[in-house]
Amino acid sequence: MMNVTPVVKQLLIINIIFFIGSQLVPVSYEYFMMFFPENPGFKLWQPLTHMFMHAGIGHIAFNMFALYSFGSTLEHFWGGKKFLFFYISCGLGAALINYAVNYYFFQDGLNTLVNSGFPKSTILNLLHDGKIDTRWQQLLSVSQYQHFISSYLGTVLGASGAVYGLMVAFVFMFPNAELGLLFIPIPIKAKYFVPGYILLYDGFFGIFGNSFLGLNDGVAHYAHIGGALFGFLIMWYWKKNQFNKNRWN
């Protein structure tokens, strides 16, 4: 197993420090996890700091294991600066895609309510206070209402978006490397494992389940897909320009 590389090591330490600090000072979540930009809880630094915050032991353990497993290999071949640029870019890309999707859902619900006679200012003032009007549920579909409320009041935290970018990069670099999970004893090549995992977990159980089956697992699936998408776009550009063969030392 490859030794942990310098930048990955520093990222692991930073994440652990943030996690311990958030457990000791719970109010820190309000400042460092990411709120919807129209929410008064939003701060300019949250698109960056949210990727160092985690909800619990299981959450941080999974992300840090993935960071170590994929990140150390990539940093070994890329160099520290190139790896850090990629990691942060995917994390910020995840935040951007998550915001874009939430903005669409929020505006969709808001426009429906405004067109039904609710003053926009009244709606926003209620949401600012963390309140809702039960009459909204009569005008919005179940899915539309859930998306409208969760877009504004929901928060995002975790390194998952950046980690998904690393997973995609690993596929570009080592498509035939065999990967596996504890409950799947048969190794699967990365080029099948990673796309399959994203499509099944975030596509079907995440987006499809939340939107059409009425499920709500509290996971930012659009952020995951956003990180994977940005990872794909960066790797595609680097590969097209032979840039992925250069190290940044």
Side-chain angles (χ1 to χ4, degrees), residues 46-90:
Q46 290 174 354
L48 177 63
T49 59
H50 87 280
M51 67 180 78
F52 299 104
M53 302 292 290
H54 291 86
I57 292 292
H59 190 201
I60 189 172
F62 176 84
N63 281 339
M64 294 305 98
F65 178 75
L67 171 58
Y68 162 75
S69 300
F70 297 106
S72 292
T73 301
L74 295 173
E75 185 183 349
H76 174 76
F77 286 93
W78 287 351
K81 292 181 181 179
K82 184 176 180 180
F83 171 77
L84 184 61
F85 170 82
F86 183 87
Y87 181 86
I88 297 298
S89 295
C90 291

Side-chain angles (χ1 to χ4, degrees), residues 208-249:
F208 181 81
N210 288 347
S211 298
F212 300 101
L213 301 181
L215 304 176
N216 186 7
D217 56 8
V219 177
H221 293 286
Y222 291 108
H224 292 178
I225 293 175
L229 176 61
F230 267 71
F232 175 85
L233 293 175
I234 294 172
M235 291 302 297
W236 175 81
Y237 177 80
W238 285 355
K239 184 174 183 179
K240 181 179 179 181
N241 293 275
Q242 297 298 305
F243 190 67
N244 62 319
K245 295 182 179 180
N246 300 330
R247 289 174 58 91
W248 294 3
N249 292 319

